[in-house]
Amino acid sequence: MTVVGPFGLSVQDRDLTRDVQAGMEAVEGALAEAVKSDVPFITVTASHLIEAGGKRFRPLLVMLAAQFGDPTAPGVVPSAVVVELTHLATLYHDDVMDEAPVRRGAPSANSRWDNSVAILTGDFLFSRASQVLSDLGTEAVRIQSDAFERLVTGQILETAGPRPEDDPLRHYLDVLSGKTGSLIAVACRFGSLMAGAERWIVDLLTQYGERIGTAFQLADDVLDIASDGHESGKTPGTDLREGVPTLPVLLLRQMPADPADPEDARLRELLDTDLAADDAAHAEALRLLRRHPALERARRETLRYAEEARALLDPLPDCPAKAALQELCDTVAIRTM
């Protein structure tokens, strides 16, 4: 059993393992080349997050989707590089917006240098992604530009917050669809498209990418509450402390208060306070939320997205790549346990 990707994804088929590993190694080399600049300082800042590592989830999906055509087709690796460069660029910008001190276990670019450097480095990565993209044809440019619009729209929606007339949960899911689902959908679309897969397969895998991307983000919401931090890679209750309304809290607020349960009333009271200013209150809220039925509802909602993603794969021909994509759906379930 060979691990070929993030989240412990394993593949038992030797040929698929070889193809995916070769593709991922080629992507890694191309990323290193793509961030080089004639200005040494830019090379240092642009390499910062690449050298910090990362799951490379999006390039992995490109490689798996390419198995439904010719995985050695010349556009496959460059399209994976485009998607990963775009993702990395958004991380530089996200860290500035979130004032994050750490990213992938290393000081974030904004804390190592400053916000201006981080923002401009993100812009530089977007420009390099565009350069690679320009060689992939007009359809690829249109696909990427549409996804980029959705990504930015999702970020703006998150920043602005829901309007009074909006359903907060629907608003949150729209944010996730734009910020996360759009680019993961493009990874699946590019991989299959560049490999010359049949159009119906390209469309189906695009839908799968959208669903599995949202499922993984929702699983992160559950992990932020339920885990001890090893799986999520961050301190438990980070979103809760920062007042970010993620799936468990949004579901709780949709549920009627239980007058017979003093813990329910206490939790709702705590969620209306500034938990960042009081460690004891934050710890109490985290403990109560872990025991609240809203967390189990969040798990079920996450699994629903994962099962919808799995169902989309049913019409695909049986092959090791299909099994690997199905295993990613299983991984969502495992992460939320």
Side-chain angles (χ1 to χ4, degrees), residues 91-157:
L91 297 184
Y92 281 86
H93 289 179
D94 281 350
D95 285 345
V96 172
M97 296 181 67
D98 299 339
E99 299 180 351
V102 175
R103 167 72 69 176
R104 295 179 174 175
S108 60
N110 50 297
S111 62
R112 181 174 173 181
W113 292 287
D114 58 33
N115 284 347
S116 294
V117 169
I119 291 170
L120 291 170
T121 299
D123 293 345
F124 174 79
L125 293 178
F126 282 132
S127 72
R128 286 301 170 90
S130 297
Q131 289 178 18
V132 178
L133 181 67
S134 66
D135 292 329
L136 298 179
T138 55
E139 184 177 8
V141 171
R142 179 186 54 77
I143 291 169
Q144 174 73 357
S145 62
D146 288 347
F148 191 52
E149 178 182 341
R150 288 187 59 205
L151 193 159
V152 173
T153 299
Q155 184 65 70
I156 292 172
L157 285 174

Side-chain angles (χ1 to χ4, degrees), residues 296-317:
E296 183 56 34
R297 283 189 61 187
R299 284 194 175 99
R300 292 199 303 269
E301 184 69 7
T302 301
L303 293 177
R304 182 176 70 83
Y305 273 83
E307 286 306 310
E308 287 178 358
R310 175 191 284 278
L312 286 166
L313 298 173
D314 287 346
L316 291 176

Side-chain angles (χ1 to χ4, degrees), residues 272-318:
D272 289 331
T273 65
D274 181 6
L275 296 176
D278 189 333
D279 288 344
H282 172 262
E284 183 183 5
L286 185 60
R287 176 179 62 82
L288 293 174
L289 188 52
R290 284 172 171 169
R291 296 164 55 176
H292 197 279
L295 183 60
E296 183 56 34
R297 283 189 61 187
R299 284 194 175 99
R300 292 199 303 269
E301 184 69 7
T302 301
L303 293 177
R304 182 176 70 83
Y305 273 83
E307 286 306 310
E308 287 178 358
R310 175 191 284 278
L312 286 166
L313 298 173
D314 287 346
L316 291 176
D318 290 331

Side-chain angles (χ1 to χ4, degrees), residues 126-286:
F126 282 132
S127 72
R128 286 301 170 90
S130 297
Q131 289 178 18
V132 178
L133 181 67
S134 66
D135 292 329
L136 298 179
T138 55
E139 184 177 8
V141 171
R142 179 186 54 77
I143 291 169
Q144 174 73 357
S145 62
D146 288 347
F148 191 52
E149 178 182 341
R150 288 187 59 205
L151 193 159
V152 173
T153 299
Q155 184 65 70
I156 292 172
L157 285 174
E158 181 180 55
T159 302
R163 298 169 300 178
E165 65 270 24
D166 290 338
D167 173 7
L169 180 56
R170 181 69 261 162
H171 176 272
Y172 180 65
L173 292 173
D174 287 343
V175 167
L176 292 194
S177 178
K179 283 189 61 179
T180 304
S182 62
L183 198 56
I184 292 178
V186 166
C188 292
R189 189 171 193 85
F190 273 168
S192 50
L193 181 67
M194 296 299 162
E198 294 181 57
R199 182 62 64 168
W200 70 270
I201 292 179
V202 175
D203 292 341
L204 186 150
L205 286 172
T206 302
Q207 296 174 55
Y208 166 85
E210 182 95 26
R211 281 290 169 180
I212 198 66
T214 301
F216 268 102
Q217 187 58 56
L218 293 177
D220 281 348
D221 288 359
V222 173
L223 283 168
D224 183 61
I225 302 301
S227 80
D228 60 7
H230 289 96
E231 171 66 21
S232 63
K234 61 182 182 180
T235 304
T238 297
D239 294 328
L240 191 65
R241 181 184 294 277
E242 295 174 354
V244 177
T246 57
L247 184 63
V249 171
L250 289 167
L251 289 174
L252 182 149
R253 294 194 183 280
Q254 282 192 342
M255 299 169 68
D258 184 353
D261 184 359
E263 288 193 345
D264 179 75
R266 175 58 177 162
L267 177 55
R268 292 171 189 270
E269 176 187 342
L270 287 167
L271 292 176
D272 289 331
T273 65
D274 181 6
L275 296 176
D278 189 333
D279 288 344
H282 172 262
E284 183 183 5
L286 185 60

